[in-house]
Amino acid sequence: MSKPISRRTALKYGAASFAPMFLRSPLSALANPANDAIRIGCIGVGRMGTGDMRSILARGLESNINARIVAVCDPDGNRAAAAKADIEKRYADKLPDGPKVDVDVYSDFRKLLARPDIDAVTISTPDFWHAEHGVQAARAGKDIYIQKPMTLTIAEGKALVKAVRENNVILQVGSQQRSDKRFRHACELVRNGRVGDLQRVEVWLPPDHGQAQPTETPMPENFDYNMWMGPTAEKEYNELGVHPQKGYGRPGWLQREIYTRGMITGWGSHMNDIAQWARGYDVDSGLTEIKANAEFPSRGLFNVHTTYRAEGKWADGVPLIQRTDPQAGVTFMGSEGWLFVSRGRIEAGPSAILKETIGDDETRLYVSNDHYRNFLECVRDRKEPICPVEVGHRSNSLCVITNIAMKLERKLKWDPTTETFPGDDEANAMLSIPRRGPWQL
């Protein structure tokens, strides 16, 4: 079973909004009777979006899931067309005797969301778009699978939490490490005291690197760059700072502060999520102080941090140390031993810690062995997913306040209840950003 939502969280976001959280919204109820296919639209079909799209497609073919992708949306017309062709071919190969699946293409996500026959969406767009896409999808009654980091700012995260709960939709954040048995086992061992009294937690993240010079680049055909920029300030087009027009290599926007915060949210939202999960602070709590320093070398268009180090504390005094390291992972240091977990690896000292079992009367965590399947099952059954909106917000918040500490280069006090820096106007001004045009949440 998933961790119940705390009374404090319910009161903060409105108790009434939590009461019917397992009920499908009226719009979706008409479009998706229990025995019919869940109809899905994919917003963003680039590097990560293609992976999400294919994963959802594969799980949706399972008989107990029964979901079909019926629409894609991307301001890059070439990517949208490629996604349509890819999906239709995969369905033709997998369902040779079934009805032909036609996929509609959009460049404006609002047109996709306006369709009453679509039940759920994937949101696999650049970080700065997540909140707008998520809030509008929730208001349209669509269930949501959203890439991490959940939002760019704290204010955006609060807005998305509110929209999801007010509209009674399912939201799964793409923090897939929660659906990995190693990470779950590590968190259960820490939660149940197998390393003794926790003395500190260390989070290691890889560095960013490279550079991109601001040179003139011709605007590609079939690319609505104004829509791609969305709520951000207008910038001259440069392919190196957006995404490659040939292939799906790592896009340049991932290293530009106007669009993202860099590795602190890119990988940090994964590893800090595990640190929070193991502590039981993943729904409505977080650090109470943070200080950080980072390198911001001159790299042309790229201006997110490269290496960094941060020190913070939770309310009980346990420190969280974050630093740059090529091997991304989390270490838990306790009075009786230590435990390290990363993707594909879990170690402990003494090693006997890993052989410990968790009793029925101890803390057991939500079990999901497939992140995409868990989302689709929850869309079908109206249960909470393993990484709901509050968790995505709190894990990302830890990363965002760390980034703010990097920029201000001084210790900051943080109140996780009010989600503000008490008495610090300069820091509080960084909890939101100006938004362009109609994209005002």
Side-chain angles (χ1 to χ4, degrees):
M1 294 181 64
S2 61
K3 179 179 176 181
I5 292 169
S6 74
R7 180 174 180 273
R8 181 171 65 181
T9 300
L11 289 173
K12 179 174 182 181
Y13 293 106
S17 68
F18 285 84
M21 64 188 296
F22 299 124
L23 301 179
R24 180 173 292 281
S25 64
L27 180 64
S28 292
L30 295 174
N32 183 27
N35 295 323
D36 290 350
I38 299 167
R39 294 166 66 83
I40 297 171
C42 297
I43 301 173
V45 286
R47 175 172 170 260
M48 298 302 295
T50 297
D52 290 339
M53 176 189 80
R54 291 172 177 172
S55 296
I56 289 289
L57 186 153
R59 276 65 166 186
L61 290 169
E62 298 172 10
S63 59
N64 64 317
I65 299 295
N66 187 21
R68 297 292 183 271
I69 296 173
V70 298
V72 297
C73 177
D74 201 295
D76 188 322
N78 292 334
R79 290 187 167 192
K84 170 184 169 67
D86 186 15
I87 295 168
E88 291 179 348
K89 182 180 186 304
R90 287 172 186 270
Y91 279 137
D93 292 344
K94 297 291 184 181
L95 304 169
D97 300 321
K100 182 176 182 293
V101 176
D102 292 316
V103 177
D104 294 322
V105 172
Y106 300 91
S107 62
D108 188 331
F109 71 98
R110 292 169 294 188
K111 294 181 179 180
L112 184 151
L113 293 178
R115 285 179 50 170
D117 64 320
I118 289 180
D119 303 296
V121 295
T122 61
I123 297 174
S124 312
T125 50
D127 300 358
F128 65 91
W129 259 119
H130 288 183
E132 187 74 40
H133 287 154
V135 168
Q136 292 211 35
R139 290 174 179 167
K142 315 303 184 189
D143 296 325
I144 301 163
Y145 184 98
I146 191 167
Q147 266 295 333
K148 44 64 30 206
M150 194 179 83
T151 59
L152 187 65
T153 70
I154 302 293
E156 290 178 345
K158 293 168 70 174
L160 185 50
V161 171
K162 185 174 185 288
V164 166
R165 293 311 177 192
E166 284 183 346
N167 292 281
N168 308 316
V169 298
I170 300 295
L171 183 144
Q172 171 91 300
V173 182
S175 298
Q176 71 269 21
Q177 291 178 171
R178 287 188 169 237
S179 294
D180 183 311
K181 64 181 180 181
R182 294 181 185 87
F183 286 100
R184 181 177 67 250
H185 186 45
C187 290
E188 286 187 333
L189 289 171
V190 173
R191 283 261 198 124
N192 290 289
R194 296 305 193 272
V195 297
D197 294 331
L198 201 58
Q199 297 176 338
R200 75 176 183 275
V201 180
E202 294 189 8
V203 166
W204 304 344
L205 308 178
D208 252 320
H209 52 80
Q211 59 181 332
Q213 296 306 319
T215 56
E216 184 177 350
T217 305
M219 183 71 68
E221 296 182 3
N222 301 312
F223 182 41
D224 188 341
Y225 181 52
N226 185 60
M227 175 60 80
W228 185 89
M229 288 187 290
T232 64
E234 292 187 47
K235 294 287 184 181
E236 183 178 348
Y237 175 76
N238 186 308
E239 182 178 338
L240 294 176
V242 181
H243 62 247
Q245 284 298 303
K246 291 184 178 180
Y248 293 85
R250 189 169 190 251
W253 68 260
L254 279 171
Q255 297 200 59
R256 301 181 72 182
E257 279 197 337
I258 190 174
Y259 305 133
T260 184
R261 298 296 178 244
M263 284 295 186
I264 184 59
T265 51
W267 267 96
S269 58
H270 281 305
M271 295 306 171
N272 279 319
D273 178 55
I274 297 305
Q276 294 267 96
W277 199 21
R279 301 242 53 212
Y281 294 162
D282 54 331
V283 172
D284 58 2
S285 191
L287 298 181
T288 56
E289 65 177 58
I290 181 74
K291 64 178 180 179
N293 56 72
E295 294 292 328
F296 291 91
S298 177
R299 299 189 293 135
L301 289 173
F302 296 165
N303 58 354
V304 298
H305 69 92
T306 51
T307 61
Y308 88 109
R309 179 180 173 83
E311 298 180 11
K313 286 184 180 180
W314 283 284
D316 61 0
V318 173
L320 171 67
I321 310 299
Q322 304 174 69
R323 64 177 173 85
T324 302
D325 193 284
Q327 57 172 340
V330 187
T331 301
F332 301 95
M333 303 295 296
S335 59
E336 304 296 329
W338 59 269
L339 188 152
F340 172 80
V341 63
S342 64
R343 294 186 180 182
R345 178 180 162 204
I346 183 170
E347 299 176 353
S351 59
I353 290 173
L354 298 181
K355 299 178 182 179
E356 293 273 354
T357 58
I358 306 301
D360 292 337
D361 59 341
E362 294 185 287
T363 299
R364 293 290 190 90
L365 299 178
Y366 191 130
V367 177
S368 162
N369 294 311
D370 187 294
H371 213 60
Y372 296 100
R373 185 179 296 117
N374 174 246
F375 168 65
L376 293 171
E377 288 174 344
C378 291
V379 171
R380 176 71 67 190
D381 298 337
R382 312 315 295 164
K383 297 178 181 178
E384 280 285 77
I386 192 169
C387 194
V389 65
E390 291 84 8
V391 169
H393 175 51
R394 292 295 180 169
S395 297
N396 187 51
S397 294
L398 193 159
C399 304
V400 172
I401 65 172
T402 301
N403 180 255
I404 293 173
M406 289 181 194
K407 304 297 287 188
L408 296 180
E409 297 184 308
R410 57 183 172 81
K411 182 182 287 188
L412 303 174
K413 297 292 185 181
W414 176 250
D415 184 338
T417 302
T418 62
E419 298 183 73
T420 60
F421 298 101
D424 193 329
D425 293 341
E426 183 182 23
N428 286 326
M430 301 172 74
L431 296 176
S432 63
I433 56 173
R435 303 178 69 82
R436 184 173 70 107
W439 314 112
Q440 301 302 320
L441 290 179

